Amino acid sequence: MNALPFAFAYPAILGALIALPVIWWLLRLTPPRPKTEVFPPLKILASVLKREETPAQSPWWLTLLRMLLAAIIILAIADPVFNPRANSLASGGPLVLFVDNSWAVAPDWERRVQTADALVDDAESAGTPVAIAFTADPTNDAVPGTAARARDKLRAAEPRPLVPDRERAFQALRAALNGVKPGTLAFLTDGAAAKADDPTVRRLAELQPADLRLIEGDATKTVAVTAASNAADAMTVKVTRLDSSRAASVALTAVDAQGRSIANGRVNFRPGQSVATSSITAPFEMRNDFARISVDNGATAGAVHLLDDAFKRRRVVLLSGTGADEFQPLLSPLYYIQRALQPYADIIQPTDSDLAVAIPKLLASNPSIIIMADIGRLPEETYEPLTRWISNGGMLLRFAGPRMAAAPADDPLIPVILRQGERALGGTLSWSEPQSLAEFPSIGPFAGIPRPADVVVKRQVLAEPTPDLAERTWASLADGTPLVTMKQLASGQIVLFHVTAEATWSDLPISGTFVDMLRHLLQISRSGGVTSEARSGARVSETLPPYRMLTAKGVLVSETGSARPLIPGAGAEPTANFDNPPGLYGSEDGFTSLNVLPENAELKALDTVGTNAVREGLIGGESWSAKPTLFLVAFLLLLADSLVVLFMNGAFSRLRPAARTMGVIAVVVGAGFLLQPGTLHANDSRPDDDLILERLDNTHLAYVVTGEQEVDNISERGLEGLTQFLTFRTTLEPAPPVGLDLTRDELTFYPIIYWPVSATAPMPSSAAISRIDAYMRNGGTVLFDTRDQISALDNGGNVSANGQRLQEILANLDIPPLEPVPSDHVLTKSFYLLSSFPGRYAGSPLWIEARQGGRETTEKSAATADGVSPILITGNDFAGAWAVDENGTPMLPTVPSDEAQREYAYRAGVNIMMYMLTGNYKTDQVHVPDLLERLGQ
């Protein structure tokens, strides 16, 4: 049974409650004080005519009030204490703490440590040694020791994102005890069984402790996401919970790689239901951006389900050398392929029968896989775009057939050299029998698929023997001839099934193995589609290094710790363990997710049948006495009783009605202060709504106020000059520029902030740096200008004073790698066609976020909004070139003095502003003809 949440320090005082009936009897016999009347005869005669009489005893409600007052005083003297601590450890052996530090205990870990610490205090008071073991640690030193040593272990322990390995911890504990029977054995458990039949409690009982306690937390918080499937129109999610006693509703959130919530769902549990399924509805493109599914307010590793490329839904194009047979669909070349892939991919079929027209249109839809069923000859003009698409990461999957058997052997889109014709296995003129499939290789994409014993191949196209044929073979027949071959073409692959896609050459298309093989090919294909532009990225290797690890609270971190590389495809599906904790394995170019729980796992309560374990809860916090509160309530009741007595005795009868009313109000207000003490504060002043609306309704150029009058004046006049230039030359009409105090002003109103770096200005505070860092992470851009004509960020070690100050600022910011603006960057063509970005000076490049992995400018950066760099750095003193006085006259000369340079400085400012406002819009290929025409090409 659970321990009481409170106890009385002096329980004997409660015996005074027996006197309450006597107090009731005495109060009922005590009449109110006689009422005093004025002597005048008329007043006496008027009283004689009254039919009311003075009561002989106290009113019942007043008696009840006084009884309640007496009872509260008795309870206060008895001193009720909440969360009492009592030393109740069993003697005769050491205190043993068997602690679950698994993923499920992350929300209440501190309370578990407090509970264990309180038991250690009790053991220290009794002089009892303490042994402690953690079930989610790979090793345990559970030899009984001092209480101080146990506390050190508690402080060093932390929850791990793993299912507890209680058997390993138990073996370590039993070896450490070496036959010594524990006094009190406290199992601080997460409440969930680690496997189907978890005998942990029974095994602990075998140690024969004098007192076996099962200490649990709140099971309603133990919820886990165990499966997610990207279906045709929604993401299907399976959720399991530990406490199924009541109905519950759990909110789900789909998060992208940047941690942004992009879709929501909800799963509902009925009473007694521990596993439920729900769906998150979102468009195809949004579902492919899901990086993880999490339970709202879950805060555990189990409440987060990581997704990788295998969960992303692919777009697959189906092409056939023959038209679909509407009367005999089972003979259609694409029928079985479509049925096998439809639950897992978006199927696209051509609307044109002419492949020369259909293939370019289909490539424009950015498919992941193109499947061709028995297409022997392709139109000549389609080879070049198909080859480019494959090289950029696409997968061309071909099936053999009569047309392919008759096609020329030098087709570049076939992975191996084929012999002319086809090979018949079985039949009147054949010496060979139909062949079954061989075991799938352990290193190919079909590893782990069991060999189908009932599938036979009657016909196939044969490959010419070459030295690398074995390396290119992913599946073969029992006689060693290839069934599936592959050729790597840059980042993409060409895959050939040497049989037809329908059941005329083999039984493979009508088997479950066919579905498994196609699903495995889907998983290794590039997700999200492949564009016609070049894209870089290495494929995931067989051995996957740890990339991002999942903490016990469900947060992805880059610290990999002692995690070892993951080896996928080595037998069974990999599971999270000490060597491979949950997280992402691979690299930025491709990774595999490993979750805490196996797929479709179910949380079940720990089995305690056949044991004498006593269940307890975690301590709720420090002990505290209710005596002061009870005395305060008793005082208020005494005050109320006094006021009632005064009123009944006519103490307020001589007061005027208005005075009586004010007195009552004063009493009520005073009582309110006593019941809810505290200081009243005026509402904090809110930001000026008009100013906020004005900032939102107009585009403002903003600059950082450095505190140096001359620098700030040039910044203001420079942005004013650029504002005027934008108004005259473009359709953008910005409002006057705004100076910003980084520690106080709201930054989100401005698309770009100009920061003139000055070594003599005060160094920005850490709060200001944090605010500017958050501004950049949320899509804002900061233009740092050192105004010293630097040509490199480090300048070969010879850094100016302003450059040193810039380095000090950037050292506290989370900035991406930088590079000078490439010649084909969108900044060079967002409005004007520019080759450089001068200001007052022309020698410094403009630094921006570097392309990761050689990305082309047409590909959006996942880390920024619309490909906009969060940081720009220059030393050309833009504001100095833009600055004008009240008459529009330039305030500072360019170096060298050249008005053409000032014109280009303004144009650079226009391009920067258009880049801020439109992102990589101008990288769209629709603008290429216009740009080429303007360049005269």
Side-chain angles (χ1 to χ4, degrees):
M1 58 180 295
N2 294 329
L4 291 175
F6 68 93
F8 290 94
Y10 308 102
I13 302 297
L14 298 177
L17 294 174
I18 302 176
L20 288 180
V22 178
I23 297 174
W24 173 277
W25 180 71
L26 292 174
L27 290 175
R28 292 290 291 173
L29 290 179
T30 303
R33 180 181 177 183
K35 186 176 181 181
T36 302
E37 295 289 352
V38 184
F39 177 72
L42 294 177
K43 190 70 175 178
I44 295 176
L45 293 176
S47 300
V48 171
L49 296 177
K50 287 183 178 180
R51 305 187 65 178
E52 297 180 1
E53 297 180 354
T54 301
Q57 57 186 6
S58 176
W60 69 267
W61 51 269
L62 183 59
T63 303
L64 181 62
L65 178 66
R66 292 171 177 174
M67 290 286 293
L68 181 60
L69 174 61
I72 290 178
I73 292 176
I74 294 172
L75 292 175
I77 296 175
D79 192 9
V81 178
F82 285 82
N83 300 319
R85 287 294 307 143
N87 191 338
S88 58
L89 297 182
S91 59
L95 167 66
V96 176
L97 299 178
F98 197 71
V99 183
D100 277 341
N101 58 330
S102 58
W103 63 269
V105 304
D108 56 3
W109 175 249
E110 294 301 325
R111 288 184 60 196
R112 292 172 180 271
V113 171
Q114 292 175 11
T115 302
D117 202 20
L119 293 173
V120 173
D121 291 341
D122 294 343
E124 186 177 32
S125 300
T128 303
V130 181
I132 185 169
F134 298 95
T135 61
D137 284 357
T139 59
N140 277 289
D141 179 11
V143 177
T146 63
R149 184 165 171 263
R151 288 195 191 94
D152 292 339
K153 291 183 180 180
L154 278 174
R155 299 297 181 268
E158 61 182 7
R160 297 178 179 270
L162 295 170
V163 175
D165 191 346
R166 293 170 179 147
E167 180 62 27
R168 176 185 296 201
F170 174 77
Q171 295 298 338
L173 176 63
R174 184 168 63 177
L177 291 176
N178 195 21
V180 176
K181 297 180 181 180
T184 294
L185 196 160
F187 182 13
L188 279 78
T189 176
D190 58 16
K195 50 187 178 181
D197 183 16
D198 193 339
T200 303
V201 181
R202 294 192 297 273
R203 299 295 300 277
L204 292 175
E206 293 174 0
L207 299 177
Q208 300 179 7
D211 178 20
L212 178 58
R213 303 182 185 181
L214 202 64
I215 303 177
E216 300 173 288
D218 186 4
T220 59
K221 298 180 179 179
T222 306
V223 181
V225 182
T226 59
S229 176
N230 203 350
D233 55 354
M235 176 74 76
T236 302
V237 182
K238 184 175 289 186
V239 182
T240 180
R241 61 173 179 166
L242 182 59
D243 183 6
S244 59
S245 59
R246 298 185 298 270
S249 180
V250 176
L252 302 174
T253 300
V255 181
D256 66 4
Q258 282 70 48
R260 297 171 296 194
S261 175
I262 55 179
N264 300 97
R266 184 169 290 277
V267 57
N268 297 312
F269 290 92
R270 299 187 304 273
Q273 184 182 16
S274 61
V275 178
T277 302
S278 181
S279 60
I280 300 178
T281 304
F284 166 81
E285 291 77 10
M286 289 184 64
R287 280 184 279 122
N288 274 357
D289 286 338
F290 290 178
R292 59 184 182 270
I293 308 295
S294 60
V295 175
D296 289 3
N297 302 320
T300 64
V304 174
H305 192 78
L306 300 176
L307 306 176
D308 53 24
D309 286 348
F311 290 89
K312 296 183 178 180
R313 197 170 181 85
R314 273 61 166 177
R315 181 172 284 134
V316 178
V317 169
L318 300 184
L319 296 174
S320 174
T322 61
D325 193 336
E326 298 181 358
F327 299 100
Q328 294 181 322
L330 297 181
L331 300 180
S332 174
L334 299 177
Y335 177 79
Y336 297 103
I337 299 175
Q338 188 170 0
R339 293 293 298 271
L341 293 180
Q342 200 162 20
Y344 315 109
D346 281 1
I347 306 297
I348 302 176
Q349 294 189 357
T351 56
D352 274 292
S353 57
D354 186 355
L355 293 181
V357 177
I359 288 179
K361 289 183 178 179
L362 295 171
L363 289 177
S365 64
N366 302 331
S368 297
I369 302 180
I370 295 180
I371 299 180
M372 296 182 179
D374 191 20
I375 295 181
R377 298 173 183 265
L378 287 169
E380 188 67 29
E381 58 270 27
T382 62
Y383 279 94
E384 193 276 332
L386 276 173
T387 302
R388 185 171 62 250
W389 173 81
I390 297 171
S391 301
N392 295 335
M395 176 184 287
L396 177 61
L397 176 57
R398 304 189 69 172
F399 285 85
R403 291 177 177 78
M404 179 173 289
D410 58 350
D411 190 338
L413 297 182
I414 291 181
V416 293
I417 301 175
L418 295 179
R419 292 183 178 180
Q420 200 76 15
E422 60 192 63
R423 176 196 183 196
L425 302 171
T428 306
L429 301 178
S430 176
W431 294 95
S432 57
E433 296 293 331
Q435 293 290 313
S436 60
L437 272 62
E439 295 287 344
F440 292 107
S442 59
I443 59 173
F446 306 134
I449 300 178
R451 183 185 72 87
D454 55 345
V455 171
V456 294
V457 175
K458 300 181 285 291
R459 285 179 180 269
Q460 68 176 143
V461 290
L462 279 176
E464 289 285 355
T466 57
D468 60 347
L469 181 60
E471 299 176 2
R472 296 187 180 187
T473 301
W474 277 353
S476 58
L477 301 182
D479 62 359
T481 55
L483 174 67
V484 181
T485 54
M486 180 276 301
K487 174 184 176 182
Q488 192 77 29
L489 186 60
S491 297
Q493 295 170 319
I494 303 174
V495 182
L496 172 64
F497 277 71
H498 290 240
V499 294
T500 58
E502 27 77 27
T504 54
W505 284 23
S506 72
D507 300 330
L508 181 62
I510 59 176
S511 68
T513 304
F514 187 68
V515 179
D516 293 337
M517 296 174 73
L518 291 182
R519 286 195 63 187
H520 280 63
L521 292 177
L522 271 179
Q523 292 175 358
I524 67 171
S525 67
R526 186 185 293 272
S527 63
V530 181
T531 65
S532 59
E533 298 299 319
R535 296 176 62 174
S536 64
R539 300 193 62 82
V540 180
S541 61
E542 288 298 324
T543 301
L544 305 177
Y547 173 53
R548 294 285 188 271
M549 295 293 101
L550 193 67
T551 67
K553 293 186 176 182
V555 179
L556 279 175
V557 295
S558 57
E559 291 81 5
T560 58
S562 60
R564 296 183 179 181
L566 180 69
I567 303 177
E573 191 74 18
T575 57
N577 52 48
F578 297 116
D579 294 332
N580 298 123
L584 304 177
Y585 289 81
S587 65
E588 184 179 4
D589 297 322
F591 50 78
T592 294
S593 63
L594 182 62
N595 290 290
V596 178
L597 297 176
E599 189 170 0
N600 297 319
E602 181 178 352
L603 293 177
K604 294 184 178 180
L606 200 61
D607 184 15
T608 60
V609 177
T611 64
N612 59 347
V614 177
R615 293 183 179 272
E616 294 183 3
L618 302 175
I619 65 175
E622 298 297 331
S623 300
W624 61 279
S625 174
K627 180 190 290 186
T629 303
L630 291 177
F631 273 126
L632 176 62
V633 174
F635 173 75
L636 295 176
L637 292 178
L638 180 61
L639 180 62
D641 181 85
S642 301
L643 293 175
V644 169
V645 172
L646 291 174
F647 185 82
M648 293 179 64
N649 290 336
F652 302 104
S653 60
R654 296 183 178 88
L655 296 178
R656 296 180 180 179
R660 288 199 300 268
T661 303
M662 293 302 296
V664 172
I665 294 176
V667 171
V668 172
V669 172
F673 276 109
L674 290 174
L675 289 173
Q676 191 172 1
T679 304
L680 295 180
H681 297 276
N683 291 333
D684 295 334
S685 58
R686 297 181 300 173
D688 188 354
D689 294 341
D690 293 337
L691 179 62
I692 293 177
L693 291 176
E694 194 274 334
R695 293 287 189 267
L696 294 174
D697 289 344
N698 298 278
T699 300
H700 294 264
L701 307 184
Y703 65 93
V704 174
V705 175
T706 63
E708 297 184 342
Q709 182 64 34
E710 183 179 355
V711 175
D712 295 340
N713 183 53
I714 292 298
S715 297
E716 180 182 9
R717 299 314 306 170
L719 295 187
E720 177 62 31
L722 180 58
T723 296
Q724 296 177 12
F725 191 88
L726 286 166
T727 302
F728 295 149
R729 299 290 185 92
T730 71
T731 57
L732 177 64
E733 298 181 0
V738 176
L740 297 178
D741 181 352
L742 295 181
T743 62
R744 180 172 51 86
D745 293 330
E746 181 59 54
L747 307 181
T748 56
F749 299 147
Y750 312 101
I752 185 171
I753 297 175
Y754 178 77
W755 191 330
V757 180
S758 176
T760 57
M763 179 68 183
S765 65
S766 58
I769 295 297
S770 299
R771 296 191 74 211
I772 205 72
D773 190 49
Y775 166 78
M776 295 168 64
R777 282 199 307 268
N778 292 329
T781 298
V782 181
L783 171 56
F784 293 95
D785 194 341
T786 59
R787 303 170 294 119
D788 54 7
Q789 203 175 0
I790 60 171
S791 59
L793 289 182
D794 57 3
N795 206 18
N798 184 20
V799 184
S800 66
N802 289 352
Q804 292 178 355
R805 174 55 58 86
L806 175 63
Q807 290 180 357
E808 294 172 0
I809 295 173
L810 297 184
N812 300 315
L813 290 175
D814 184 16
I815 62 172
L818 304 176
E819 67 177 355
V821 176
S823 58
D824 58 346
H825 195 272
V826 65
L827 262 172
T828 63
K829 53 193 174 185
S830 59
F831 194 84
Y832 294 103
L833 296 177
L834 299 177
S835 58
S836 62
F837 298 86
R840 280 191 68 212
Y841 310 107
S844 172
L846 180 62
W847 295 81
I848 62 169
E849 179 183 3
R851 302 172 186 170
Q852 300 300 312
R855 288 185 318 216
E856 293 295 329
T857 55
T858 54
E859 183 181 359
K860 293 184 180 181
S861 169
T864 56
D866 287 336
V868 175
S869 173
I871 183 172
L872 303 175
I873 300 178
T874 187
N876 285 336
D877 191 8
F878 282 161
W882 300 334
V884 295
D885 58 18
E886 299 296 338
N887 299 321
T889 304
M891 298 176 61
L892 298 175
T894 60
V895 180
S897 182
D898 184 5
E899 288 305 311
Q901 180 174 322
R902 191 184 304 278
E903 172 68 19
Y904 280 109
Y906 278 121
R907 294 186 178 187
V910 172
N911 274 28
I912 291 173
M913 278 304 300
M914 294 304 171
Y915 172 61
M916 294 300 106
L917 297 176
T918 63
N920 57 5
Y921 162 70
K922 280 298 182 71
T923 62
D924 196 331
Q925 292 298 302
V926 73
H927 299 284
V928 170
D930 294 333
L931 295 176
L932 293 178
E933 182 180 355
R934 292 186 61 186
L935 290 171
Q937 300 179 5

